[in-house]
Amino acid sequence: MAVTDLAKSRDFYRDAVGLVVTEETDDTVYMRGLEEAAHHSLVLEQSDTAQARRVGLRVRSDDDIRLAEKFFSDNNIEHQRVERAYQGATLQFRDPVGTLMELTSEMAVAPRRMQRYDEFKSGAPQRIDHFQVVTYDVRKATDFWTGLGMRMSEYTAEDGTDELWGSWMEIKGNTHDLVFTNGRGPRLHHFAFAVPDATSLIHAADVVGALGFGNEIDRGPGRHGISNALFLYLRDPDQHRVELFNTHYQFIDLETPPIRWDVTDPRRAQLWGMPASRRWFFEASEFPDEPVREPLLTANPDTLEDYLGIH
């Protein structure tokens, strides 16, 4: 993530969110969850402009990187090998809807902090869980990623049809690792860290409020219908959105079909409580040098402002 005040962002993610600082330089901070041995799962980079620079995924080996290069070359997908600190073979590419991605096969390790309970702060995030991207063409994004091996666990569709408005896809047996939802895109809606339990979300909200960031609670605490997860969304000093997340179910049985939700069913996003605000639905972080396109499907969700009659 590109941030405009590196120290302020570091402090937010360390003290208000609860991530571990692995290492920092004059222009970069590397962070991770408490149970993560990988050197980093969040990179903050100093910049004049706040942006989402890349979404990173892990592959198992250098052979997978080579296979990805061949696949991208055969299918005319823009890609390049790059050198990234603390990472092994790393391949950057642009998916068919403009999401800027990065694959790596290896990373330096650091001691896990999962049993250093004396060091737990705020929500005590344990590990990176998933990313959600806003896209102008959910079907195109879904076809590409399921073609690479991801499996759809849940989806939203136009009432009475299978016209995709959102797709939740997984590769590691939980409900989702990569999500695409309909809207102006490509933009990164949020990235999420799993926390130990439900009380961690409440404690995080208390800590965020005590540190003076109460207005940056973007949504929740609440429970999603999709994934059945408890959630708390926060906005960082540059308005990038991070989610703290818990209690989603396993999706490991190959014969299990994806769960379908009507796009008009409010329970898909919130099983209890009021709907999200307009900014939650319509604001997101742009990728550098990637034009934002209007969605193929018209998005007009019911917002908190609609619910309260605010114009």
Side-chain angles (χ1 to χ4, degrees):
M1 305 299 290
V3 299
T4 58
D5 187 324
L6 188 62
K8 185 182 291 186
S9 292
R10 175 205 60 204
D11 293 352
F12 175 84
Y13 284 104
R14 181 191 62 200
D15 301 333
V17 177
L19 292 174
V20 175
V21 175
T22 307
E23 191 167 345
E24 55 185 305
T25 67
D26 290 341
D27 58 6
T28 308
V29 176
Y30 300 92
M31 311 190 82
R32 70 188 196 278
L34 287 150
E35 74 175 40
E36 291 178 314
H39 182 272
H40 55 268
S41 54
L42 174 63
V43 181
L44 305 176
E45 297 176 342
Q46 178 66 45
S47 175
D48 293 334
T49 304
Q51 293 174 320
R53 286 187 166 164
R54 292 277 164 180
V55 173
L57 297 175
R58 178 69 181 264
V59 296
R60 292 182 180 275
S61 68
D62 287 359
D63 285 342
D64 292 321
I65 294 291
R66 287 190 286 272
L67 288 169
E69 282 182 305
K70 183 179 186 307
F71 175 83
F72 295 152
S73 295
D74 291 346
N75 289 275
N76 297 316
I77 295 170
E78 176 186 333
H79 65 283
Q80 60 178 341
R81 283 252 193 166
V82 297
E83 295 293 326
R84 296 283 279 167
Y86 308 105
Q87 295 178 191
T90 300
L91 184 64
Q92 293 182 343
F93 68 99
R94 176 188 184 276
D95 80 2
V97 292
T99 317
L100 299 186
M101 304 293 305
E102 181 175 288
L103 303 177
T104 189
S105 61
E106 187 180 356
M107 190 175 287
V109 298
R112 300 183 195 271
R113 314 303 289 173
M114 61 186 178
Q115 292 179 335
R116 287 305 306 264
Y117 297 107
D118 56 314
E119 297 180 4
F120 281 29
K121 291 183 178 182
S122 191
Q126 300 295 293
R127 61 192 177 278
I128 191 78
D129 187 86
H130 66 266
F131 307 93
Q132 182 166 318
V133 177
V134 186
T135 181
Y136 63 91
D137 191 337
V138 175
R139 170 60 68 184
K140 181 186 288 188
T142 303
D143 288 348
F144 175 79
W145 285 100
T146 54
L148 290 183
M150 285 197 169
R151 190 164 66 111
M152 186 190 296
S153 63
E154 305 198 30
Y155 66 101
T156 59
E158 182 76 23
D159 295 22
T161 76
D162 280 330
E163 186 174 60
L164 280 181
W165 283 67
S167 62
W168 280 251
M169 295 175 288
E170 63 83 26
I171 199 69
K172 66 180 187 292
N174 54 319
T175 55
H176 51 286
D177 298 302
L178 185 60
V179 179
F180 287 93
T181 54
N182 181 66
R184 297 180 63 250
R187 295 179 297 159
L188 180 64
H189 186 270
H190 69 267
F191 52 96
F193 282 86
V195 300
D197 50 38
T199 59
S200 300
L201 297 178
I202 304 300
H203 184 58
D206 280 337
V207 170
V208 167
L211 291 174
F213 294 110
N215 289 338
E216 300 305 340
I217 294 179
D218 200 37
R219 186 177 185 185
R223 185 183 292 277
H224 289 310
I226 295 173
S227 81
N228 195 49
L230 293 169
F231 63 83
L232 177 70
Y233 292 92
L234 308 172
R235 300 290 283 268
D236 77 4
D238 287 296
Q239 298 300 289
H240 298 312
R241 185 181 291 109
V242 57
E243 180 187 17
L244 301 180
F245 181 88
N246 182 261
T247 70
H248 51 315
Y249 61 91
Q250 285 188 319
F251 192 75
I252 58 176
D253 302 307
L254 296 181
E255 68 275 15
T256 305
I259 297 171
R260 182 193 182 284
W261 296 81
D262 282 340
V263 73
T264 59
D265 185 352
R267 299 177 76 252
R268 76 192 190 285
Q270 183 98 336
L271 283 180
W272 40 263
M274 293 183 288
S277 66
R278 288 173 187 158
R279 76 174 191 171
W280 189 90
F281 279 111
F282 295 115
E283 294 180 12
S285 301
E286 296 187 11
F287 293 101
D289 302 320
E290 192 62 41
V292 174
R293 298 173 58 175
E294 295 298 321
L296 298 182
L297 305 175
T298 302
N300 189 29
D302 291 329
T303 68
L304 178 63
E305 290 83 356
D306 297 328
Y307 182 84
L308 297 175
I310 298 171
H311 301 288

